[in-house]
Amino acid sequence: MKEKNCEELQREVERLKSLLDISLKFGSTLDLQELLNLIMEIAKKTLDAEASSIFQIDEEKRELFFVVATGEKGKEAKTIRIPWGKGIAGWVAEHGKPLLVPDVSKDPRFFQDVDKKTGFKTKSILAVPLIRKGKVIGVAEVINKKGGGEFTVEDTILFEAIAEQAAVAMENAKLYSQLENLFLSSIRAIVNAIEEKDEYTRGHTGRVTEYSLLIGKRLGLSNDEIKTLELSALLHDVGKIGIPDSILRKPGRLTDEEYAVIKSHPLRGVKILEPIENIKHILPGIKHHHERYDGKGYPDGLKGKKIPFYARIIAVADAFDAMTSDRPYRKGLPIEIARKEIEENRGTQFDPECADAFLRELDENPERIEEIIKRGRE
Ligand code: FE
């Protein structure tokens, strides 16, 4: 066996280090996009390439699309979709085998559209399939060996190892989001079952959740924050389970005692959900959704920004739904009246920021809100 010289060993150590780097990154972030970007930056650097990318397969449209595109034209590249079976990536996706193309100008499989659209000049490509459970789920590429050299067989072996890590990351993210969806739909089903018994609250939670999400998106919340908001809104009134129907559905005026019982529902909700370890972060939104911005709400009389953010959003959504939905003793108010009510109470009952976000939504996207209200009246 040929002895490895010092330089070769050095290079091998570097390569192993980059694989280790990738596995360490797994622990540092849960965000798939971020993780794949990191992995492909490492691939680009370790394999001495000018650019790197990952394609995913859109089975319905029979296209490949970029999930990662590093390098100077990466941003432009990301808008492009590649038809099934086209290009080097398409070939690799179809055959499930790596492909090393030292000179793309001599390979008829090369798909020139991406270069034409981005202004990038592709010379050489090393492409490997991303495989999970025997199925090709994507393709990873490194493009143009720096210094005019060629990608080697050694590069291919390393890149396949890197691609495997990327494939695992993609698979994990998919499983995680399936689990998350299952969790959310179970919560929805339970909430619906609770509401089903009363025709006047039926659908309340769903509508409050939709309004809350519209506000949250207007306020530019991140994906994770939106998820927290959704769960908080879905469960905001869960504490009403503990309140007797004779009070909840009483048609006339409530006595002071009865009103006090109703007012206990945010705390009851917290009590019910507290034992669940993974949802501690939604408790503040539930506990404080009846606080008022001026401090005159309950249970704690919190004021202004001391009220948890998600609670301030839910408060606006909740009030709007209470006004616009039918009650045993009255029809729901027209949108314009409810709108005015929110406008007039921004800064007293409602956080002005959250109220404004909802007012903007009402003005710019009235059809969406009308549709949510209408669904409730059917
Ligand atoms: Fe409530």
Side-chain angles (χ1 to χ4, degrees), residues 204 236-237 240 265-266 289-290 298 318:
H204 167 71
H236 78 279
D237 267 348
K240 285 192 175 166
H265 78 271
H289 75 272
H290 284 289
Y298 64 88
D318 197 14

Side-chain angles (χ1 to χ4, degrees), residues 159-175:
F159 197 33
E160 279 183 302
I162 293 176
E164 199 180 330
Q165 307 258 352
V168 169
M170 282 159 74
E171 177 79 2
N172 283 351
K174 200 172 132 203
L175 291 174

